[in-house]
Amino acid sequence: MRNDFVGHDTTVPLKEENMKRGIMKIGIDLGGSHIAMGLIHGGKIIKKYEHNFSSIEKENLEKTIKEFINNTIDCILNEKIEIQMVGICAPRYI
């Protein structure tokens, strides 16, 4: 597993008050050329990670997706955030 493979964070760093909000959720949007993960609280995305798959990554998409999800969740958990649930959305079989 690549330790440096976490999606590009498209939000500002989590502020301490966001981390104290309690239990949060993770939403994963999976597509054939892109993956996004959001840290969700109260129905709002408070932190978002995104990654566009390169042509090389698309050749082994299952491994790429697993690495992205595992590494991004590890990054979120390292911020001492308690996750209540994880939801995954995919528009079709990938």
Side-chain angles (χ1 to χ4, degrees), residues 9-48:
D9 181 359
T10 59
T11 57
V12 295
L14 279 179
K15 296 181 180 175
E16 192 167 328
E17 62 266 21
N18 287 338
M19 293 178 9
K20 292 180 181 177
R21 290 182 179 181
I23 299 173
M24 298 190 196
K25 300 171 186 166
I26 293 175
I28 302 171
D29 183 6
L30 180 58
S33 62
H34 177 261
I35 186 169
M37 289 180 66
L39 185 59
I40 303 163
H41 184 269
K44 294 183 181 181
I45 298 172
I46 62 168
K47 192 167 182 79
K48 187 173 179 182

Side-chain angles (χ1 to χ4, degrees), residues 31-32 53 57-66 94:
F53 303 129
E57 290 171 330
K58 286 181 184 180
E59 292 176 11
N60 195 349
L61 196 55
E62 182 178 343
K63 179 182 176 199
T64 301
I65 291 168
K66 285 179 184 178
I94 299 173

Side-chain angles (χ1 to χ4, degrees), residues 3 6 22 28 45 74 80 94:
N3 293 330
V6 174
I28 302 171
I45 298 172
D74 284 347
K80 310 289 189 234
I94 299 173

